[in-house]
Amino acid sequence: MSHKLKIGIALGGGGARGAAHIGVLQALESHGIGIDTIAGTSAGAVIGAMYAATLNSDWVRQHYLDYLNSDTFRTMGIHHLRRDTPEKDSFFQQIGRFVKDRLVISLAVHRHGIVDRGKLTQGIRYLLPVSSFNELKIPLTITSTDLNSGKEIVTSSGDLVEAVVESSSIPGFIKPLEEKNRLIVDGAVAAPVPVKALLTYKNDVSIAVDIARREMKPLKEFSLLELMSRVGQVTGVKLADELASQADVLIQPDVGEAHWSEFSQSETFIIAGQEGAKAAIPKINKLLNERSGLRYRLRKSLGFN
């Protein structure tokens, strides 16, 4: 009876940790839980668009891993950000090392991003088998952020590639898009888990997938930039908690303290997503059973749900 109910999923942002979304979708698919609508931000927009275009999580996994081994991915230069060091360096420290390797520091001060926006666009075109929303098999909403207003931007029609690029434009790494008095960046800035966008679909069961970096080692000897990075992390986690609480089911894959640029750990993240989703399946099935009855349908028809 579960196939008669609408199930929606909100896929949060987290860079490389977004591979966990693939594992979540694989686990749900293998247990016969079909997704009817998706809202995605940042990494969640990428994986969400790939899945909405195919409804095949195994294809998404293989194509995503193929991309990580491609020249298209290597030209992004993300591999310069991570180094095998004993401590987890702040994002800003890693950007600094990257600039030393590739750019003149004096010029970087005046830049709006480290990587050319066109390279991100090439990567998204590689990943997506379609280019517009109307080619998708199920409804998809993608969110980004307007830094000039602080508001969430919601897109569900038109150019799919551009919507995903905007949603994935990490501030400081990808140059923001300046358009009609808006300064558009990564959707996770305003909504790390896009539950609000998902709820507009009026699903019977809503699922939120939160891949925030939650592990926090005590700060001992730290720089000002590391302090700022930790402040941003705490703020992001608290916002993700608040947004995710609005969904019926919360899935939090164990991604540890992995940095957003650790794409070499993608297989591990996929497994974490599978395990996280499997733990949530009993609750999902319970809700599906409860909401397949006449009483729920009557309440919903009267606007009580």
Side-chain angles (χ1 to χ4, degrees):
M1 298 179 71
S2 62
H3 67 279
K4 296 180 180 179
L5 299 178
K6 286 182 62 177
I7 303 172
I9 192 166
L11 304 177
R17 299 189 301 272
H21 293 317
I22 300 174
V24 169
L25 293 168
Q26 284 184 309
L28 295 178
E29 202 173 284
S30 68
H31 284 77
I33 298 173
I35 299 300
D36 299 287
T37 61
I38 300 175
T41 195
S42 194
V46 176
I47 303 303
M50 293 175 73
Y51 188 74
T54 62
L55 298 183
N56 186 332
S57 59
D58 290 336
W59 178 89
V60 173
R61 176 186 179 279
Q62 188 58 56
H63 193 57
Y64 181 80
L65 295 177
D66 288 344
Y67 167 67
L68 297 184
N69 289 315
S70 71
D71 290 337
T72 303
F73 175 73
R74 280 188 285 273
T75 60
M76 289 281 290
I78 293 176
H79 59 286
H80 288 278
L81 291 177
R82 289 308 306 172
R83 301 291 174 85
D84 293 329
T85 56
E87 299 295 331
K88 296 290 183 182
D89 294 330
S90 73
F91 168 75
F92 296 101
Q93 286 178 310
Q94 294 170 46
I95 286 290
R97 275 199 299 275
F98 179 80
V99 170
K100 288 180 183 179
D101 291 340
R102 300 287 297 274
L103 302 170
V104 178
I105 294 179
S106 60
L107 293 177
V109 172
H110 304 288
R111 294 174 67 106
H112 295 152
I114 301 298
V115 171
D116 181 72
R117 186 181 184 82
K119 292 182 179 179
L120 175 59
T121 301
Q122 290 175 7
I124 299 303
R125 289 193 185 282
Y126 182 108
L127 287 165
L128 303 186
V130 299
S131 59
S132 64
F133 279 88
N134 62 16
E135 296 176 88
L136 299 174
K137 295 185 176 182
I138 59 174
L140 169 71
T141 291
I142 290 175
T143 68
S144 53
T145 303
D146 175 17
L147 286 183
N148 284 340
S149 67
K151 294 181 179 179
E152 180 181 28
I153 299 171
V154 177
T155 306
S156 57
S157 62
D159 189 332
L160 178 63
V161 172
E162 179 58 26
V164 175
V165 169
E166 292 176 4
S167 183
S168 307
S169 296
I170 300 171
F173 189 67
I174 302 295
K175 181 180 178 180
L177 173 66
E178 299 180 64
E179 178 187 73
K180 299 178 181 178
N181 297 319
R182 298 192 302 183
L183 192 61
I184 303 174
V185 299
D186 196 294
V189 173
V193 187
V195 176
K196 182 178 178 182
L198 178 69
L199 295 180
T200 62
Y201 283 121
K202 307 298 182 182
N203 297 291
D204 296 294
V205 175
S206 59
I207 303 169
V209 186
D210 174 17
I211 53 171
R213 180 182 176 189
R214 293 177 173 276
E215 286 190 19
M216 301 181 195
K217 291 182 178 179
L219 292 176
K220 296 179 180 179
E221 296 182 5
F222 55 86
S223 67
L224 176 60
L225 292 181
E226 289 172 322
L227 184 64
M228 293 169 61
S229 178
R230 175 58 61 87
V231 170
Q233 182 185 2
V234 172
T235 301
V237 167
K238 295 299 182 183
L239 178 56
D241 287 343
E242 176 63 26
L243 294 171
S245 67
Q246 300 173 38
D248 296 313
V249 179
L250 172 61
I251 298 175
Q252 288 181 322
D254 182 8
V255 294
E257 59 175 337
H259 188 265
W260 71 263
S261 63
E262 294 188 53
F263 287 92
S264 62
Q265 301 300 313
S266 292
E267 291 276 19
T268 299
F269 298 144
I270 290 173
I271 293 172
Q274 293 170 344
E275 294 175 347
K278 288 176 183 176
I281 284 172
K283 182 174 182 179
I284 296 172
N285 284 330
K286 182 175 182 291
L287 287 171
L288 291 173
N289 288 331
E290 291 174 351
R291 297 179 181 182
S292 63
L294 178 60
R295 181 179 180 181
Y296 171 79
R297 294 199 298 273
L298 180 59
R299 288 178 57 85
K300 184 176 182 180
S301 68
L302 295 175
F304 291 112
N305 289 287

